[in-house]
Amino acid sequence: MRFRPPRAGRQHVNRSTGQDGPAPDSHSLAARLARGHRISADEASDIVGQIARVLMGGHAEGQVHGDIRPATIGFGKDGRAVLVAAPPPRPGESMAYLSPEQIQRQRVGTPTDIYSLGAVFFEMLAGRPPYAGPDPERVGSVVTVPGQIDGIVTAMLAENPGARPQAEEVVTVLESELTAPPKKIVRTTSAKARRARAAPALVGVLMLLLLPGLVLGGWSAVRAGETRARLGDAEPLAEILPSSVALAFDLSIERDALRGGGRVPEEFLAVTDESIEAWTAAVKRLERGGDPGPRRRTERTAAALERLSEFRSAIRSGDRTNISADLATYTNAVNGLFDLTAELPTFDEEDLARQARNLEAIGPVAEVLGFERKIMANALRRGRISDRAIAELRAAQSSWATNSESIYREAEPGTRQALDAISARSFEYGSYSVPSQRVVLRVLNARAVGDVVEQLEDGGEGTSADQVWLADAATFVQDLRNVVVDAAQKLADDITREHDEAKSRTIAWGTFTGVMLAVLVALGVVLLRSRGRSVDA
C-alpha cells in the first residue's frame, strides 16, 4: 500500500454525461482560485449544484468519478460548470480533496465524490481546503455563510460515507434553500379494545401484557444470535492479526534497510524469522476456521514469503544482486499482511468498529513512513535533495502528520499512552519529538541536507549519515510496531469477550422467549375454554 495520489483516469462519470475531455474554451476552477478571484456564497452554491447535477446520472448507474478537485471543474462558453479532464495531480496536490476511505485505501463509492465536491465547496467559500480529521470542519466557523450552506458542506465532509448526502439531495438543498425537513404529521388512532365477559377479558389482558415481552425476547434473541454469528466469523481472523501486523512491520524494516543501500543487520533478520514462525502457526489455526476469503489472502502472502526465503538467505551471505526485483516481493508481502484487517466484518459495536478502523489505517500510514525513509535515505547518501524529492517528502510528511492525529484521537486510552511514550507525547502532532522526524522537518525547512549530513556523521562514529538516520527511524518503527501489535491483540481479546457475551445473551433471551411463549400458549388454551363455557351458558 505505497502512498500515491489517485489516477486521473478514473473519471467514469464524465462518459455518462457526455463530457469526454476539456470543454472548448473552458477555464478551470483551479485557475480562478489561483488568481485569487473571490467567489460568493451564491456563486459557489451554483457551481456545486451544477456539478452535483452532473454527478446524479453517473451515480444512479453506480459510476464513480474519483478525482474531483478544482483542476477537474471547468466552465464552458455559456458559463456553466462542467467536469473536465485534467493532468494527473502532483504528489500531495490532491490530498485535501481525498475522502477518508481513499486515504485509507478502503472501498470507494459515490459518497467519495460527494466528499471531494464538499472539500471544493469549502475552499471556494473559505479560501482554503478543509483540514482533515475525524470531525468535519464547519465552514461557518471560518467565514459567514447562510445556515443551509454551512449544514450541507458539513454533511458532505462527514467521515462516515453513509452519513453524506446523495448528489440529488445536494441539488435539492442548494436549489430550494431548504433549511429543515417538514414536520412529521402524527395521526392518532381511536380504536379501543372491546370488552367481553369477565374471565375471557382478564385472560386476554394478560396475553396482551405478555405479548410485548415475547416480541422483545424474540427480537433480542435474534439480534444476539446475529452478533454471535458475526463475531464468531471474525474471531479466527482476529487471532492472526497480531502476528500479521508484527510480520508486516518486520518485513518493512528489512525492505527499508535494503532501499537505503546498506546491509540488513542480523538482528533484523532474526526477529523476522521469529515473526514468520509465529505467523505460520497462527495461519494453520485460521485454516481450520474454513473462511475462504482470509485463507486466499494468507495463501498469497505465504507464497510471497516463500519467494523471499532464498533472497533473505542471500542477504545473510552478502549477495545483493537481485535487490531491485525482490523489493517488490517484500512490498507485496507487507501489503498482504496489512490488508488482512480489511477482511474483518463491519461491527455494530462502536468500540470494536473504532478499534478495527484504527488498525486498518495503520497499514497505509506505515507505508507512508516507508516512502519517507526511501526519500531521506537516498538524499542523505548523496548529500543533496532535489526539488521533486522535497515535494514528495513534504506530501508524505503532511500525510503522516494528518493521519497520526486521526489515529491518536481514535485510539484506546491505553494505546494513546503507549503512543505518547514512543514519541515524547508528540504522536498526535506528527511525532516531531522523534529524532528521525525532526531531521525530516529540518530538511523540509532548509530544502537541503548538507547540515544534517554533517551532524549525523559527526555523531555516527564512522557510520554514514543515511545509515545513522535509518537506524533511528527503524527504532521508531519498531516501537510503533510493538504498540500496534498490542492494539491488535486487544481487538482480538475484545472480539472474543464480546462473542462470549453474545453467546450468553442468546441463551438467556432464548430461554426467556421460550418461557413467554409457553405461558401465552397456556393462557390461549384457558381463553378458548372460557369462551366455550360462555357459549354453552
Side-chain angles (χ1 to χ4, degrees):
M1 269 176 288
R2 185 191 304 275
F3 171 78
R4 57 172 66 89
R7 293 178 292 179
R10 290 185 55 201
Q11 298 176 351
H12 305 303
V13 171
N14 285 8
R15 290 195 292 272
S16 72
T17 59
Q19 181 66 45
D20 188 10
D25 300 326
S26 67
H27 302 282
S28 72
L29 177 61
R32 289 191 58 182
L33 294 173
R35 290 193 297 268
H37 286 187
R38 177 175 176 80
I39 299 179
S40 66
D42 289 342
E43 185 179 5
S45 300
D46 190 41
I47 293 171
V48 171
Q50 292 176 37
I51 297 300
R53 188 172 289 280
V54 170
L55 292 174
M56 286 170 56
H59 284 187
E61 299 176 5
Q63 298 176 350
V64 182
H65 187 281
D67 189 29
I68 294 179
R69 49 193 169 95
T72 59
I73 296 177
F75 301 92
K77 291 181 178 180
D78 59 356
R80 293 190 61 80
V82 294
L83 288 171
V84 299
R90 294 187 298 274
E93 179 184 353
S94 63
M95 282 296 299
Y97 312 101
L98 295 183
S99 66
E101 58 266 25
Q102 286 176 298
I103 294 176
Q104 298 172 8
R105 296 301 293 266
Q106 297 176 344
R107 182 183 299 276
V108 300
T110 55
T112 299
D113 289 341
I114 298 301
Y115 182 98
S116 301
L117 184 58
V120 174
F121 201 174
F122 188 108
E123 185 174 4
M124 285 191 291
L125 296 169
R128 62 163 175 80
Y131 295 128
D135 297 318
E137 187 180 15
R138 300 196 72 95
V139 69
S141 64
V142 181
V143 294
T144 300
V145 294
Q148 73 271 15
I149 293 181
D150 184 25
I152 192 64
V153 173
T154 302
M156 293 170 76
L157 295 175
E159 181 184 25
N160 180 7
R164 300 170 199 157
Q166 298 179 2
E168 55 266 35
E169 293 174 328
V170 173
V171 172
T172 299
V173 171
L174 295 180
E175 292 184 356
S176 65
E177 297 185 355
L178 185 65
T179 59
K183 295 182 179 180
K184 295 181 179 179
I185 299 176
V186 180
R187 296 180 179 178
T188 59
T189 59
S190 59
K192 297 181 180 180
R194 297 180 179 179
R195 297 183 177 181
R197 296 181 180 179
L202 178 60
V203 175
V205 170
L206 289 175
M207 293 181 68
L208 289 174
L209 291 175
L210 291 175
L211 187 59
L214 177 64
V215 173
L216 174 62
W219 178 82
S220 299
V222 171
R223 292 279 299 185
E226 292 175 348
T227 301
R228 175 187 176 185
R230 183 175 62 254
L231 294 176
D233 292 339
E235 199 169 16
L237 178 58
E239 290 177 355
I240 74 166
L241 287 182
S243 59
S244 299
V245 171
L247 181 54
F249 272 102
D250 292 337
L251 288 175
S252 67
I253 291 174
E254 282 190 15
R255 179 197 59 192
D256 295 339
L258 290 170
R259 280 176 174 172
R263 67 178 185 86
V264 180
E266 177 60 32
E267 55 266 28
F268 285 8
L269 296 169
V271 170
T272 303
D273 289 341
E274 295 178 0
S275 293
I276 290 175
E277 293 178 2
W279 183 80
T280 302
V283 168
K284 289 181 179 179
R285 294 192 296 271
L286 173 68
E287 290 177 347
R288 289 196 293 270
D291 191 342
R295 190 162 63 239
R296 284 194 296 269
R297 283 189 182 251
T298 55
E299 287 172 352
R300 290 196 294 268
T301 302
L305 291 175
E306 183 64 27
R307 289 193 296 272
L308 280 177
S309 59
E310 294 183 4
F311 179 65
R312 297 180 72 247
S313 298
I315 292 175
R316 280 188 161 96
S317 64
D319 183 1
R320 297 170 53 84
T321 55
N322 296 321
I323 287 180
S324 59
D326 286 282
L327 283 176
T329 306
Y330 266 106
T331 297
N332 290 338
V334 170
N335 290 348
L337 290 163
F338 277 131
D339 281 350
L340 283 174
T341 310
E343 296 287 347
L344 287 171
T346 301
F347 296 109
D348 292 336
E349 300 78 14
E350 178 57 31
D351 180 61
L352 295 181
R354 185 176 63 253
Q355 291 185 65
R357 287 196 306 267
N358 229 13
L359 193 61
E360 189 174 352
I362 292 294
V365 169
E367 285 299 275
V368 169
L369 284 179
F371 183 63
E372 178 184 86
R373 292 196 295 278
K374 174 184 177 182
I375 298 172
M376 284 293 298
N378 289 335
L380 293 173
R381 186 171 60 254
R382 297 171 182 172
R384 56 184 174 81
I385 187 167
S386 66
D387 290 341
R388 178 178 178 179
I390 284 288
E392 292 176 342
L393 184 63
R394 190 179 303 280
Q397 199 279 332
S398 175
S399 177
W400 164 246
T402 299
N403 285 281
S404 63
E405 178 185 9
S406 177
I407 290 170
Y408 183 88
R409 289 183 177 179
E410 291 288 322
E412 294 287 310
T415 303
R416 285 190 183 183
Q417 293 176 4
L419 293 173
D420 285 337
I422 67 173
S423 63
R425 303 187 68 81
S426 65
F427 191 91
E428 182 181 7
Y429 310 105
S431 305
Y432 64 85
S433 292
V434 177
S436 59
Q437 285 295 304
R438 284 204 303 270
V439 170
V440 172
L441 295 176
R442 287 178 55 195
V443 169
L444 288 175
N445 290 333
R447 301 182 64 84
V449 298
D451 292 342
V452 169
V453 170
E454 183 178 350
Q455 291 185 16
L456 290 174
E457 290 181 343
D458 287 345
E461 299 180 354
T463 305
S464 61
D466 60 311
Q467 292 303 309
V468 173
W469 185 84
L470 278 172
D472 184 79
T475 298
F476 176 62
V477 174
Q478 181 70 28
D479 292 339
L480 180 59
R481 171 239 199 222
N482 295 335
V483 175
V484 176
V485 169
D486 289 342
Q489 186 61 58
K490 184 180 185 306
L491 175 60
D493 294 341
D494 287 350
I495 288 175
T496 299
R497 188 194 70 252
E498 292 281 355
H499 179 248
D500 292 341
E501 292 179 357
K503 180 179 179 180
S504 299
R505 290 196 301 271
T506 302
I507 295 174
W509 282 114
T511 302
F512 175 82
T513 303
V515 171
M516 295 295 291
L517 181 59
V519 173
L520 278 172
V521 170
L523 289 175
V525 172
V526 172
L527 179 61
L528 290 175
R529 290 180 177 178
S530 298
R531 286 185 173 178
R533 287 194 297 269
S534 297
V535 171
D536 293 339

